Amino acid sequence: YEAMDRQDTHITKVLASIQEHDMSLVPPPAITRKTKYGFPLVRRLEQEATPMEPPPLTTSKPKKSLFARQFESHTLDYFGVELMQGGLGTPPPIPKDEVNPISVARVGGAQGEEDGTATDFASDASHTWNTFLRFTGGVVSGEGLVGSSGLTSEAARREVSKMDEENARWLSQFSEQEILEQQEKIKKTLGSSTLAFLQARRKKASGGGAKGMRTDIRTGEEESVRQTDAAMECDGARDDAMETKMEDVKVENRIEEKAKMNEGTVAPKGWLHMDVVEKEKLEWTCEVPAVDSSAFQKSPKEVRFSLEGLVIPRGVNIPIHLGLHHHGDEPEAAGYTLAELVHLTRSAVLQQRLLALQTLCRIIQRATLNEYGDMVEPPVVHTLLEAGVPLLLRYSLDEQNEAVIGASVDCLHAILVSPFEEQLLDDYCSCYRGSHLPALRPLGSVWGGRKQEKDQDEEEEEETDAMTVQRDLVEGLVKVKLLPRLRYILEVCRPNHHVVSAILEVLIRICRHSLQAASEVFNCPRLMNVVFEEFLPVTWEGSNEVGTTAYGKPHPLAMRLVRTLASAGRHLTSNLISRHKLMDIILRCVLLHPTDMGLPSHQAYTLGEEGLRTWGVALGYGLGTNAFDDTYATFIKQLQSMASSRLRHVGAPELRRAAAMVVVMECAVDIAGCTPDMMRVEGSNASIPPPSIVWSHASGLLTPALHCLSAWLADMVDGGMELEKILCVSRLLHLVATHFVKLSEKVSGCSVEMLQLAEDIISGPLAKLISSPLFASVLQGLRSSSVLANASHWVKRDPPSLPSHTYLLVAPNIAIYGQPCAQSSDQLWRVESVGVAIIDIFHGYLRLCFALVQLHKGLLDKATAVLDSRLFQDYLEAVVLSPTSTCARVCFVVNELQLLYLVVKVFMLRLEVHRDAMDQQLIQLYHNVAFKVLSLCPQGMEYLISDLITGVLWHPYMFCELSSGSGSVVEGYIGGLSLRDPPTSVSKDVTCPPSSSDILSEAFERLCVVPQMYLKKFQEICCEKQAVERSKHQLLCHPLLVNSVMTPPISSAVLPPQWILLPITMEYDQSLQLNADRNPGAQPDRVAMVTTTLQTLFLLERLRPIAVRELPLEVKLARLMCVFLIDGELFLEKDVHNALSVLLRQYCCTSEMQERLDFSSPIPGLVSFYDLYSSLVAQFAAVSYGDPLFSSYLLLPLQQRFNPLLRRCLWDEHPTVLRVLSLPLQQSPVPVESFLYPVETDPVQLELYMAAIASGSVRFVCAVCVCVCICVVLVFSISTAGLSGAQS
């Protein structure tokens, strides 16, 4: 082994022999002298007297670099280094007796080769030492070994002596011939170029050639020391002079020098790459310009943000030392623009990428909370999405640095997830049907449908990732493989708790996009395995302390992710239960008390709450029933424990967990209430196996639920209004109400005990609740909590590719640099959550009252007394008068629409009993509420629309102005006369002008056929044939027939705004599609349908104008014009003609309505009004026979304030129509002045008027046309003559 160690030449052997020198006594490096400027002064190379030409290769003086020449001509102080004794400025004096020679065999060999003799090594050592002493300035040693740097004086002497002895020993072993052979061998090894370099270097060092080398060593040492002392004295004098000179330099001289440089001063020839001055690279050395706020007002620039995401106003002087200034396009402006931050996200410097991602994250979070308001336009999120920032974040996730990955995840989380919305949805889950949320798919986006269409069209280009992201952000992120990358980060990188939570929330947001997105998450390889193994384990090590890692123990967000997946569909829920043993995990999280779970308190309670909600979703499909049967006794004990505890002494986490437990019980009651009809598979004779939950389970839950409700209502009456208490009490109200609703569906009659129980509930806790100050606060808070009544207080700022469930408040928290925020997001969330809870508790109370009244009609007056409250009626009036278009896309509006629908149904029960004693204004109010609900119902509420159409809207009792004394009409409506065809009139006698009262009477007589007509048209426009049935199963909670609790996206209402004219619109569209000749004469069914539609419209215009108030006047008139185009003779029918006549008078009766008319506005369903009018003119020429009513509709768009193209269409393109027009001046639909003013100035139209008069096309039978032609021409002639006279 010893022989192997001696012969071992491995690198580890060499490294093991290295010893560290003693550096304890080495003087510290010099520190740059402090100045009053931020950076050391930048030096410019001084110009020399004569241009420096590169020396020839044969010269004895080699070319020096620019830095070397400047280094030789200046002292260290010139470069900002202090002169200090023993430091890096001037080396300490070295005693002459301590100077030892140093032999360099390589250099000596090279020189010896040149003069043909053996090398004198002592002379080499002397020359090397002299060279070192001459060229070293205490900083750099140009040649040889540093004599004293890093070593003490004694150590240096010993080291040099050791090296000298070693060299002498080796050289003594060689003869002169062997030395020459070694030189030849070294020459062959080095190469010609290296050898020439060493020879030239040796000549420079020797100074006098071989003769100088043979000088005595001691003489060379003395001479070198003398030269070194002289050089040090000269350098010291020059350093003192330079230091004095630098102290006298002023800031003005430096600015003048930089200005002179920027003027284009060119360096002398011979300086490499110094002949061009690059001004843009020198701008950063100048002073920061002053802020000019007036320049920004003239030309606004991009908004700048601080590192905290606050807006920095222009004109604010911010100190430079805060680090907000940088060398950008505006160096005087502090902060960063969005473009600069996006650019820094791809920087090569890790710290810049990290800082940019963190700043972007803060900016997006503030923008999501609307903290910028209207200060930033366009909105921040819109701008970033259009710039493709999500793709940049996706690329950043591929980096290996954990900090960058975490910042990228946070930034992506800020874009996709809104904390304000998540907190609201968390509270909304405790409301009635809170798990039934609409999908967040963008409008017009169908997952996978777009790509299939493009595959069929080969010429169309394939959609890129950037295009997909701009159209649908979630779909684009899934397309660029975001899910596998997130799985890799969770599985391999194993980040900290914060990043894990952000990733889980991102996955939750992706699942809420649609069923397809949830399926992508579920089917992503190993993703769900990682979630269940790491974040939803069945067993885990207990620890009540909050740790930094989220692995190995249940995570509440992981359970929420599972709940969101289950909400997407029955199939996914079944797979979660069968593949991943979901029910075992839920039971472990639910049955254990939070204090026994070995988790932090807040995490344990939240986990149990999410587990119960997930179980409720599974029960909503009829799954997980066996587990409820096994744990039924536990739920009974929990209810009994809740009833015995005082509500005021229960904490908020316990109340939220109790509310989630009541949700599970309510879902179990829904399953127990399923009838045999609800267990049949649609489209087949097969039936679903009966669930293990039976009605006895529901009956057993009723008694403890009532005890708990009574006890907690008493506490609520005495206590205050808190969010968790309201939610918990409302869940109990819904549980009891669901029990009685299912009971009424299962049994045809009720026992005496059940009737007595209903009376006890109404006269007991509910009566006490109504008379309490708490319920008065609820009624007073309805209006302020309503989404519909406060539609103007909300603003929708979602980008089209990323919709959300909620609106943002108009009043933002202003995020300006240096100013405090007015209100935190937590306070806003709390206020809105309380508003949602107030709506829900009133809904639960009304559901329970309605269910009890269905069983016991004698309780109607007691149960519905709340409808007479003035506060409640004020709330309804605010809802009726609110605009419809601004509140159609809020998910919370669904719960309020169900409340209003129930209010209308309860009022109908009262109206049937107390019709004669009911106030007409109150009837009108509830009738308008019914129309409001109809116009707002989104997809998923088709059943409510059909029920309102058939049972409420056209009920004769609702038209109280006409229903008195019309018993036959009411009996016909109730008796089912709607199945009979209405009486039709085919008489064409239109000489008698109709009266409004006659039309109203006829319309009231036709109310029996109106529901069926509109219901048929509504079913035709539904997107799917089974939409009404599917909506019925969801709204009435039939668990075994529900396939998904995720409702369709809320884009707009199911019915179009002009739904009242829907039969005429559909008939007109059908006439355009058929494109065939009609049979002579109008068909009776078409006449009846058009007549009924027109009369119903007139009925609403006169009696319920609020119901059609938001429909623009031009839309109504345009659809009435379509009646003339449906059939050539349809308008000649007496009933149709009369209805058109009264409607024309209704819309043109006042000047206010005439001013609202604007045919230039877009009309839904029509590409262009000009095309419609052109068809109308052509139809008039063909079939009108000069009908005055047709002429009136034809003349309406010819008013002077409308588009001149419409007038040109009649006078230029269809001049023959002028011979047919025969409308007296007295029958003009609008005043004649409307056709004359403003004065016509179009020369083309004036020529048409003159040509019509000259050719005789205008007949005096049509007084309107004659008056227009003559008056317009005369006014133009007079104005022209007056102008000519003034000029003359």
Side-chain angles (χ1 to χ4, degrees):
Y1 293 103
E2 294 179 358
M4 293 178 62
D5 291 339
R6 286 195 301 268
Q7 297 177 4
D8 189 7
T9 58
H10 194 264
I11 186 66
T12 57
K13 183 69 174 178
V14 178
L15 295 177
S17 302
I18 298 177
Q19 297 180 1
E20 183 179 2
H21 291 295
D22 183 15
M23 305 292 292
S24 59
L25 300 178
V26 177
I31 303 176
T32 304
R33 184 173 61 249
K34 294 183 179 179
T35 63
K36 60 182 179 181
Y37 309 107
F39 296 92
L41 298 179
V42 178
R43 296 298 179 188
R44 183 165 61 95
L45 294 177
E46 299 176 357
Q47 302 179 5
E48 298 182 2
T50 59
M52 297 181 299
E53 299 293 341
L57 296 178
T58 58
T59 182
S60 60
K61 293 183 178 181
K63 179 182 177 181
K64 295 183 179 181
S65 66
L66 298 178
F67 178 77
R69 280 178 281 179
Q70 188 178 13
F71 184 81
E72 292 178 354
S73 61
H74 297 83
T75 61
L76 296 178
D77 184 67
Y78 181 82
F79 298 96
V81 179
E82 293 285 355
L83 294 174
M84 58 177 58
Q85 183 70 18
L88 292 179
T90 302
I94 301 175
K96 295 183 179 182
D97 56 352
E98 295 182 4
V99 178
N100 293 325
I102 300 175
S103 300
V104 183
R106 298 190 301 273
V107 181
Q111 184 64 30
E113 174 67 20
E114 183 178 350
D115 54 15
T117 61
T119 307
D120 189 346
F121 297 100
S123 178
D124 290 346
S126 174
H127 178 76
T128 305
W129 184 248
N130 295 335
T131 304
F132 162 72
L133 293 176
R134 187 173 71 252
F135 284 95
T136 183
V139 180
V140 176
S141 177
E143 302 287 346
L145 181 67
V146 177
S148 60
S149 177
L151 297 173
T152 62
S153 177
E154 229 17 79
R157 183 165 54 248
R158 289 196 303 269
E159 188 70 21
V160 172
S161 300
K162 182 178 179 182
M163 294 174 64
D164 185 34
E165 293 175 359
E166 183 180 359
N167 291 337
R169 186 176 64 254
W170 278 99
L171 290 175
S172 63
Q173 300 176 5
F174 293 94
S175 63
E176 183 176 352
Q177 184 64 29
E178 289 176 344
I179 292 175
L180 294 177
E181 291 177 359
Q182 292 296 329
Q183 290 179 355
E184 290 291 338
K185 189 182 297 183
I186 292 175
K187 286 174 56 179
K188 295 179 181 179
T189 304
L190 294 177
S192 60
S193 61
T194 306
L195 186 61
F197 169 74
L198 292 175
Q199 290 175 350
R201 190 173 181 178
R202 183 59 180 168
K203 291 179 182 179
K204 171 188 174 183
S206 62
K211 182 178 181 180
M213 293 176 57
R214 296 186 182 96
T215 309
D216 183 73
I217 296 177
R218 181 59 59 186
T219 305
E221 292 177 355
E222 294 175 355
E223 179 67 17
S224 61
V225 171
R226 184 185 63 79
Q227 295 176 0
T228 303
D229 294 339
M232 292 173 57
E233 292 175 0
C234 295
D235 290 343
R238 185 165 55 250
D239 291 343
D240 294 338
M242 182 58 65
E243 184 175 4
T244 304
K245 181 179 179 181
M246 290 299 300
E247 291 177 354
D248 296 337
V249 174
K250 302 298 182 180
V251 179
E252 293 79 8
N253 296 337
R254 189 170 67 90
I255 296 176
E256 292 177 0
E257 183 180 354
K258 296 181 184 301
K260 184 177 180 181
M261 180 186 299
N262 293 335
E263 290 176 0
T265 304
V266 180
K269 294 182 179 180
W271 289 23
L272 185 61
H273 303 307
M274 293 293 179
D275 54 344
V276 178
V277 177
E278 298 176 292
K279 300 179 181 179
E280 62 277 2
K281 293 185 179 180
L282 299 176
E283 291 180 354
W284 68 273
T285 62
C286 302
E287 295 290 342
V288 176
V291 178
D292 187 5
S293 58
S294 60
F296 171 72
Q297 296 177 358
K298 298 178 181 178
S299 58
K301 303 292 183 65
E302 294 184 65
V303 180
R304 293 189 172 272
F305 302 90
S306 67
L307 299 181
E308 292 78 18
L310 301 175
V311 175
I312 300 180
R314 294 283 178 164
V316 177
N317 291 320
I318 297 178
I320 301 177
H321 69 272
L322 296 179
L324 295 177
H325 292 79
H326 56 89
H327 311 298
D329 295 336
E330 299 176 281
E332 72 279 3
Y336 295 83
T337 64
L338 292 178
E340 292 169 349
L341 290 173
V342 171
H343 179 72
L344 288 177
T345 56
R346 305 311 302 163
S347 172
V349 182
L350 174 63
Q351 289 79 1
Q352 287 184 346
R353 296 199 305 272
L354 190 60
L355 181 65
L357 290 172
Q358 292 173 349
T359 305
L360 277 177
C361 178
R362 299 185 186 102
I363 292 174
I364 296 171
Q365 289 174 350
R366 293 183 182 276
T368 305
L369 296 175
N370 196 31
E371 293 190 8
Y372 299 130
D374 296 332
M375 291 188 301
V376 182
E377 288 295 339
V380 172
V381 180
H382 292 68
T383 305
L384 295 178
L385 292 183
E386 293 177 359
V389 170
L391 294 179
L392 292 178
L393 298 177
R394 173 63 187 89
Y395 303 150
S396 299
L397 290 177
D398 292 335
E399 297 196 20
Q400 300 301 321
N401 187 273
E402 294 183 1
V404 175
I405 293 176
S408 302
V409 170
D410 288 340
C411 198
L412 191 63
H413 173 271
I415 293 177
L416 290 173
V417 182
S418 172
F420 178 78
E421 180 176 332
E422 289 297 324
Q423 291 167 339
L424 279 178
L425 291 179
D426 189 38
D427 294 333
Y428 186 71
C429 286
S430 299
C431 299
Y432 179 65
R433 296 180 71 248
S435 59
H436 292 65
L437 294 174
L440 291 179
R441 186 174 64 244
L443 302 182
S445 174
V446 180
W447 192 284
R450 189 182 182 94
K451 186 175 180 180
Q452 294 176 359
E453 294 177 0
K454 289 190 174 184
D455 292 341
Q456 299 176 0
D457 190 1
E458 299 180 356
E459 298 180 358
E460 193 170 359
E461 296 181 359
E462 186 178 359
E463 188 177 46
T464 62
D465 295 342
M467 296 169 60
T468 306
V469 167
Q470 291 186 359
R471 177 178 55 83
D472 189 341
L473 178 57
V474 173
E475 182 181 351
L477 291 176
V478 174
K479 184 179 179 181
V480 296
K481 307 299 182 183
L482 175 67
L483 297 178
R485 184 59 185 174
L486 294 180
R487 189 270 311 161
Y488 175 84
I489 295 173
L490 290 175
E491 184 179 17
V492 180
C493 299
R494 301 177 72 87
N496 56 30
H497 189 280
H498 172 74
V499 178
V500 169
S501 301
I503 291 176
L504 292 176
E505 289 189 345
V506 168
L507 293 175
I508 292 171
R509 176 59 181 82
I510 293 176
C511 292
R512 284 178 178 159
H513 176 274
S514 60
L515 173 61
Q516 291 80 2
S519 301
E520 290 287 340
V521 174
F522 181 80
N523 296 323
C524 181
R526 301 201 309 274
L527 177 57
M528 296 310 301
N529 293 335
V530 173
V531 171
F532 276 92
E533 291 174 2
E534 299 292 346
F535 309 115
L536 287 176
V538 180
T539 59
W540 62 89
E541 296 182 0
S543 176
N544 293 330
E545 297 180 358
V546 179
T548 58
T549 179
Y551 289 83
K553 53 186 177 182
H555 199 296
L557 289 178
M559 185 64 74
R560 183 178 298 180
L561 172 62
V562 174
R563 173 169 61 87
T564 309
L565 283 171
S567 302
R570 174 191 295 271
H571 179 67
L572 289 177
T573 308
S574 178
N575 287 334
L576 288 171
I577 294 176
S578 59
R579 294 185 188 179
H580 301 285
K581 308 300 180 182
L582 176 60
M583 292 310 305
D584 295 341
I585 301 172
I586 290 177
L587 292 177
R588 177 69 190 276
C589 299
V590 168
L591 298 182
L592 284 178
H593 194 272
T595 57
D596 300 332
M597 296 178 67
L599 297 173
S601 177
H602 175 74
Q603 185 177 353
Y605 276 103
T606 307
L607 182 64
E609 180 184 354
E610 291 293 339
L612 289 168
R613 291 175 179 175
T614 306
W615 195 358
V617 174
L619 290 175
Y621 301 122
L623 305 174
T625 56
N626 294 331
F628 183 83
D629 190 14
D630 298 337
T631 58
Y632 176 72
T634 303
F635 283 96
I636 295 295
K637 292 180 181 178
Q638 290 289 340
L639 277 177
Q640 293 174 350
S641 175
M642 290 164 56
S644 60
S645 60
R646 300 288 295 178
L647 186 60
R648 66 184 63 183
H649 300 310
V650 181
E654 292 88 344
L655 289 175
R656 299 180 71 91
R657 193 173 187 271
M661 185 172 293
V662 176
V663 171
V664 176
M665 300 179 193
E666 184 179 353
C667 294
V669 173
D670 288 330
I671 296 176
C674 292
T675 60
D677 296 338
M678 303 177 188
M679 300 180 185
R680 295 177 183 175
V681 180
E682 297 181 4
S684 63
N685 296 326
S687 59
I688 301 173
S692 58
I693 301 177
V694 294
W695 187 248
S696 60
H697 293 92
S699 301
L701 292 173
L702 179 61
T703 302
L706 287 174
H707 290 167
C708 185
L709 177 62
S710 300
W712 283 15
L713 282 178
D715 287 347
M716 285 287 290
V717 170
D718 299 335
M721 181 182 296
E722 298 180 5
L723 174 62
E724 289 76 12
K725 295 180 180 179
I726 297 176
L727 289 175
C728 205
V729 172
S730 65
R731 293 313 306 163
L732 286 172
L733 289 172
H734 283 291
L735 172 61
V736 178
T738 301
H739 181 276
F740 285 103
V741 168
K742 296 300 179 181
L743 179 63
S744 62
E745 293 178 355
K746 288 186 70 70
V747 298
S748 57
C750 294
S751 61
V752 178
E753 293 80 4
M754 190 59 62
L755 296 177
Q756 183 63 39
L757 179 61
E759 292 182 2
D760 294 341
I761 295 174
I762 292 293
S763 58
L766 293 186
K768 187 176 181 181
L769 176 64
I770 294 176
S771 59
S772 66
L774 170 67
F775 201 76
S777 301
V778 171
L779 291 176
Q780 190 174 5
L782 279 175
R783 182 169 182 174
S784 59
S785 305
S786 171
V787 178
L788 299 176
N790 300 281
S792 59
H793 297 172
W794 298 80
V795 60
K796 197 71 170 178
R797 297 177 66 90
D798 293 336
S801 62
L802 190 65
S804 65
H805 283 308
T806 60
Y807 274 52
L808 293 175
L809 288 176
V810 171
N813 300 324
I814 303 301
I816 300 180
Y817 186 84
Q819 297 183 9
C821 293
Q823 196 174 15
S824 64
S825 59
D826 294 340
Q827 293 174 336
L828 294 176
W829 153 69
R830 200 74 179 177
V831 171
E832 298 306 321
S833 295
V834 170
V836 173
I838 287 176
I839 295 292
D840 188 66
I841 191 174
F842 190 82
H843 188 195
Y845 166 78
L846 210 58
R847 277 193 70 219
L848 179 56
C849 292
F850 184 72
L852 295 176
V853 169
Q854 292 286 345
L855 297 175
H856 194 334
K857 302 295 183 182
L859 302 175
L860 178 63
D861 294 337
K862 292 183 179 180
T864 61
V866 67
L867 300 183
D868 298 329
S869 172
R870 183 66 254 180
L871 292 174
F872 184 68
Q873 293 176 11
D874 291 341
Y875 158 70
L876 294 180
E877 291 176 357
V879 170
V880 169
L881 298 177
S882 64
T884 302
S885 57
T886 58
C887 52
R889 287 193 58 192
V890 190
C891 76
F892 304 133
V893 78
V894 176
N895 200 5
E896 189 171 358
L897 288 176
Q898 295 182 35
L899 169 62
L900 294 175
Y901 165 77
L902 188 61
V903 167
V904 173
K905 296 290 289 185
V906 171
F907 180 78
M908 287 300 301
L909 294 178
R910 298 187 67 189
L911 187 61
E912 293 176 358
V913 177
H914 307 289
R915 179 172 64 94
D916 297 335
M918 194 69 65
D919 185 13
Q920 289 190 3
Q921 293 183 356
L922 196 61
I923 297 175
Q924 294 174 7
L925 175 61
Y926 283 93
H927 201 189
N928 289 327
V929 171
F931 279 109
K932 189 71 173 184
V933 174
L934 181 76
S935 61
L936 286 175
C937 283
Q939 293 185 13
M941 303 185 71
E942 290 84 358
Y943 174 73
L944 264 63
I945 295 176
S946 62
D947 188 59
L948 288 173
I949 291 176
T950 55
V952 178
L953 294 180
W954 314 113
H955 198 287
Y957 288 169
M958 282 296 189
F959 297 95
C960 53
E961 299 86 348
L962 302 175
S963 60
S964 58
S966 302
S968 60
V969 176
V970 176
E971 293 175 1
Y973 183 90
I974 299 175
L977 290 182
S978 58
L979 302 177
R980 180 181 70 182
D981 291 336
T984 59
S985 174
V986 296
S987 174
K988 299 183 181 181
D989 183 14
V990 295
T991 56
C992 280
S995 62
S996 300
S997 58
D998 295 338
I999 300 298
L1000 288 177
S1001 300
E1002 293 179 8
F1004 189 75
E1005 293 291 335
R1006 290 178 179 270
L1007 283 179
C1008 56
V1009 299
V1010 173
Q1012 292 300 324
M1013 179 186 69
Y1014 280 101
L1015 185 62
K1016 180 180 178 181
K1017 298 301 179 183
F1018 166 68
Q1019 293 174 351
E1020 291 179 3
I1021 67 171
C1022 283
C1023 300
E1024 300 179 11
K1025 295 182 179 180
Q1026 304 298 329
V1028 177
E1029 286 296 323
R1030 184 170 58 250
S1031 173
K1032 178 181 178 181
H1033 298 325
Q1034 287 186 345
L1035 294 175
L1036 299 183
C1037 297
H1038 299 160
L1040 303 180
L1041 300 178
V1042 174
N1043 293 323
S1044 176
V1045 298
M1046 181 183 291
T1047 59
I1050 300 180
S1051 57
S1052 59
V1054 177
L1055 291 176
Q1058 65 274 18
W1059 64 268
I1060 191 65
L1061 294 167
L1062 191 60
I1064 294 177
T1065 302
M1066 297 181 67
E1067 193 67 25
Y1068 170 72
D1069 295 339
Q1070 184 179 2
S1071 66
L1072 295 179
Q1073 294 175 0
L1074 291 177
N1075 195 17
D1077 295 334
R1078 298 279 185 176
N1079 295 329
Q1083 300 178 7
D1085 56 346
R1086 183 181 300 112
V1087 173
M1089 182 191 65
V1090 173
T1091 302
T1092 303
T1093 304
L1094 295 176
Q1095 291 179 352
T1096 304
L1097 175 61
F1098 182 70
L1099 180 67
L1100 295 182
E1101 290 284 359
R1102 295 299 298 269
L1103 302 182
R1104 301 292 180 269
I1106 297 180
V1108 292
R1109 178 193 57 182
E1110 295 189 8
L1111 189 60
L1113 184 57
E1114 57 270 10
V1115 175
K1116 301 174 185 177
L1117 288 173
R1119 290 307 175 185
L1120 293 182
M1121 293 177 184
C1122 292
V1123 175
F1124 297 96
L1125 300 175
I1126 293 176
D1127 195 291
E1129 297 182 357
L1130 180 61
F1131 73 95
L1132 294 177
E1133 297 294 332
K1134 180 180 179 180
D1135 293 338
V1136 176
H1137 196 278
N1138 293 340
L1140 289 172
S1141 178
V1142 294
L1143 285 172
L1144 182 63
R1145 295 201 303 266
Q1146 175 71 24
Y1147 295 144
C1148 301
C1149 60
T1150 61
S1151 59
E1152 181 182 358
M1153 299 188 69
Q1154 295 173 14
E1155 293 176 357
R1156 287 164 42 195
L1157 185 61
D1158 184 13
F1159 288 112
S1160 61
S1161 302
I1163 297 176
L1166 293 180
V1167 178
S1168 171
F1169 179 76
Y1170 177 83
D1171 296 338
L1172 175 68
Y1173 186 71
S1174 180
S1175 302
L1176 185 67
V1177 175
Q1179 183 80 347
F1180 180 84
V1183 300
S1184 67
Y1185 302 104
D1187 182 72
L1189 179 63
F1190 203 160
S1191 302
S1192 299
Y1193 277 93
L1194 192 68
L1195 291 176
L1196 275 178
L1198 299 181
Q1199 301 178 54
Q1200 282 293 110
R1201 58 191 180 93
F1202 296 142
N1203 193 345
L1205 293 178
L1206 299 175
R1207 298 191 294 275
R1208 199 171 300 173
C1209 176
L1210 176 64
W1211 294 88
D1212 186 15
E1213 299 179 12
H1214 301 85
T1216 56
V1217 176
L1218 297 173
R1219 299 182 179 273
V1220 187
L1221 276 172
S1222 57
L1223 185 66
L1225 199 60
Q1226 295 79 8
Q1227 297 183 12
S1228 174
V1230 294
V1232 182
E1233 291 80 4
S1234 302
F1235 300 100
L1236 304 178
Y1237 299 100
V1239 178
E1240 183 66 65
T1241 57
D1242 186 7
V1244 177
Q1245 188 65 37
L1246 290 171
E1247 291 180 1
L1248 293 175
Y1249 288 154
M1250 295 179 183
I1253 296 175
S1255 62
S1257 300
V1258 181
R1259 299 169 55 192
F1260 283 95
V1261 179
C1262 183
V1264 177
C1265 294
V1266 173
C1267 180
V1268 170
C1269 287
I1270 296 176
C1271 292
V1272 170
V1273 172
L1274 286 176
V1275 170
F1276 178 76
S1277 301
I1278 294 173
S1279 60
T1280 304
L1283 182 60
S1284 301
Q1287 293 178 353
S1288 61

